[in-house]
Amino acid sequence: PTLDILIQDKQFYCKKNDIIFSSLIDGESLNFIDPMDIYSLFGNLIDNAIQAVTKLPVEKRVVQLNVKNKQGFVVIQTLNCFDGKVKFLNELPLTTKNNSMHGFGSKSIVYIANKYNGKVSFKTKDDNTFEVDVFLPIK
């Protein structure tokens, strides 16, 4: 239910701001995660992707969220378009926001993944796609 409410809220925001948001989620595979961690993890993943695409022309404003069970892991993946170059420091993307208080979203994602003995991968692809993969072992 926590994720359903969050997804509905983000879909409403995206529709209002000309962002195509799609999701394919196996919610059963998330049953072992605390609802507060679900809210924080998915909120940060989606908010970071939305923030990146709002700088783009309308036709490139695309955010995808996928959650699947694969070989004993929950794999959570976000994909979004981006423009320019993403800089990394210690395998984390550097914030593009001017406020020094920003940049905690990626750290929060890593913190929650670590809490569940998981891993996070942030990467860019040649086609100007930014990808975040969270791998959590299923308990």
Side-chain angles (χ1 to χ4, degrees):
T2 302
L3 187 56
D4 289 340
I5 292 167
L6 180 68
I7 295 293
Q8 270 187 326
D9 182 51
K10 301 304 178 185
Q11 284 176 326
F12 178 75
Y13 178 87
C14 286
K15 186 173 183 173
K16 192 173 163 184
N17 289 280
D18 296 318
I19 299 169
I20 297 170
F21 178 82
S22 64
S23 60
L24 183 58
I25 300 170
D26 174 8
E28 291 292 317
S29 62
L30 301 171
N31 285 340
F32 67 96
I33 303 173
D34 181 270
M36 289 302 293
D37 291 334
I38 287 175
Y39 188 84
S40 180
L41 176 64
F42 283 90
N44 281 306
L45 285 166
I46 298 167
D47 285 347
N48 287 352
I50 288 172
Q51 188 256 330
V53 300
T54 55
K55 301 173 185 175
L56 301 175
V58 173
E59 65 272 9
K60 292 185 177 184
R61 293 182 182 181
V62 178
V63 174
Q64 293 178 319
L65 170 66
N66 301 303
V67 179
K68 60 186 171 185
N69 184 336
K70 187 173 182 181
Q71 299 176 344
F73 286 85
V74 173
V75 181
I76 303 164
Q77 179 186 68
T78 57
L79 299 161
N80 62 270
C81 296
F82 75 96
D83 194 17
K85 184 149 178 80
V86 177
K87 295 178 183 176
F88 290 87
L89 178 64
N90 298 325
E91 299 181 11
L92 292 177
L94 291 174
T95 185
T96 58
K97 300 172 187 170
N98 293 329
N99 184 333
S100 65
M101 292 303 292
H102 291 286
F104 291 106
S106 296
K107 290 176 185 170
S108 177
I109 293 165
V110 171
Y111 172 81
I112 293 168
N114 288 338
K115 180 178 176 179
Y116 292 90
N117 298 314
K119 299 284 182 205
V120 181
S121 167
F122 299 91
K123 60 187 167 193
T124 59
K125 295 183 174 184
D126 291 338
D127 64 350
N128 285 348
T129 300
F130 187 80
E131 180 178 335
V132 181
D133 296 301
V134 181
F135 303 93
L136 303 176
I138 296 174
K139 295 185 177 190

